[in-house]
Amino acid sequence: MAARWTACLAALLALLPPLAHAQSKSELLDRLVRAYPDALSAHDDTTITWRDGTVMPVDDGVSGKSFDQMLRNASILDQMRQPYPSGPSAPPTQNVDPGRFRNEAFFKKMYGDCNTAEVRRNLVTITWLPRSWGKPVQVTRVNGVAERLKQVSAEIEALDPALRAAAFPIAGVLSCRAVADTGRMSMHGYAAAIDLNLKVSDYWLWARKGEGKGESKGKTIPYKNRMPREIVDIFERHGFIWGGKWYHYDTMHFEYRPELLEQ
Ligand SMILES: [Zn+2]
């Protein structure tokens, strides 16, 4: 009897979405401070402290936010609410978008505002895939992003040519624009994200093309991906998350979010 109950419970648990290792608020904030050592110095239960002395609240006191509210108005803690699965993983389940909740004040403070000269001041030029493509790209030097991308580029160069082809020509880095469905600044606005070869990319909104407004409501988005895992692994090792691990997927997109990768 007990064995039957155990089997029954196991079957029930298998139906639930995978429960990531639940982390306490303090563990999440420890990770955040560790992930940005140049920018952050400390945290307590309610705030983070930047190296220049700026103090920011980690919570906005709004509980029970919907998915859409989190996309539009994420607190610093909301940013880390959905754990990012590094390494091989199954296609994301509905509304699992780890990394798409971003607190705009946090990232503006970190990288600057692209509507002013702040972001431009920190741009440096690197050569993307010097042997295979060799074009200059401007990326931020904040948090060592430029240096990390140079290492990513060198590791991609060592891959088989058939895999490497997905990494160039790049579709873009700096773009001062909001994300289509959130109205919030994209990580491209900070020059801390890179889009690879458009020709092998899949994007959830393209999968919705041709559907009438309303028609897509509640309908599952079919998952698609052609980005090689080898490229994803390289980016993740250097602190970049991949848009292919989002239910609202964007498979050419990588952004620097070490707080979601650091163990
Ligand atoms: Zn992108």
Side-chain angles (χ1 to χ4, degrees):
M1 194 65 182
R4 247 171 79 187
W5 274 112
T6 312
C8 194
L9 187 66
L12 269 175
L13 284 172
L15 293 174
L16 295 170
L19 252 192
H21 170 64
Q23 286 193 301
S24 71
K25 191 162 115 178
S26 147
E27 280 171 326
L28 290 176
L29 293 172
D30 281 347
R31 279 175 75 141
L32 185 70
V33 172
R34 271 203 309 271
Y36 296 105
D38 296 346
L40 305 177
S41 61
H43 75 83
D44 59 20
D45 281 354
T46 55
T47 62
I48 52 165
T49 305
W50 294 73
R51 294 224 170 261
D52 69 1
T54 305
V55 174
M56 273 185 185
V58 296
D59 206 346
D60 51 17
V62 184
S63 57
K65 282 183 200 171
S66 68
F67 177 77
D68 285 335
Q69 285 169 323
M70 295 261 255
L71 280 179
R72 285 182 177 80
N73 292 304
S75 69
I76 288 172
L77 269 175
D78 290 338
Q79 267 174 211
M80 304 173 77
R81 287 212 199 275
Q82 291 190 338
Y84 179 88
S86 53
S89 62
T93 49
Q94 190 156 24
N95 288 355
V96 171
D97 282 1
R100 287 191 79 221
F101 304 146
R102 306 178 190 90
N103 179 264
E104 207 162 85
F106 177 84
F107 286 110
K108 266 196 184 148
K109 166 87 184 143
M110 184 84 79
Y111 296 105
D113 181 347
C114 58
N115 293 303
T116 70
E118 290 167 1
V119 170
R120 254 172 290 141
R121 201 178 296 142
N122 285 313
L123 291 181
V124 291
T125 302
I126 64 164
T127 306
W128 186 247
L129 305 178
R131 285 190 289 124
S132 325
W133 192 54
K135 299 242 164 69
V137 233
Q138 287 198 303
V139 296
T140 185
R141 64 177 167 202
V142 176
N143 294 323
V145 167
E147 284 310 308
R148 291 171 208 279
L149 282 173
K150 272 193 212 167
Q151 291 167 24
V152 168
S153 165
E155 288 183 33
I156 292 175
E157 288 277 37
L159 293 177
D160 185 87
L163 300 172
R164 212 192 297 155
F168 69 96
I170 62 160
V173 176
L174 177 64
S175 172
C176 194
R177 61 175 159 79
V179 179
D181 65 321
T182 71
R184 287 294 182 185
M185 185 54 70
S186 142
M187 290 302 285
H188 289 288
Y190 311 114
I194 184 165
D195 288 337
L196 304 186
N197 190 346
L198 193 63
K199 285 207 182 106
V200 295
S201 292
D202 295 287
Y203 181 45
W204 72 277
L205 273 176
W206 298 337
R208 281 275 150 96
K209 257 193 192 150
E211 289 178 357
K213 258 208 156 153
E215 207 181 316
S216 55
K217 232 183 161 68
K219 225 164 135 191
T220 312
I221 304 165
Y223 184 76
K224 271 196 203 162
N225 173 49
R226 288 167 287 160
M227 186 57 67
R229 227 196 61 213
E230 288 81 353
I231 291 182
V232 176
D233 288 345
I234 293 171
F235 271 98
E236 287 183 350
R237 273 205 305 280
H238 291 282
F240 295 79
I241 61 165
W242 174 47
K245 289 191 178 170
W246 300 335
Y247 177 68
H248 297 93
Y249 56 87
D250 180 0
T251 68
M252 68 177 164
H253 177 93
F254 294 86
E255 67 181 58
Y256 187 64
R257 298 293 297 285
E259 75 274 32
L260 293 167
L261 284 162
E262 199 230 18
Q263 295 309 301

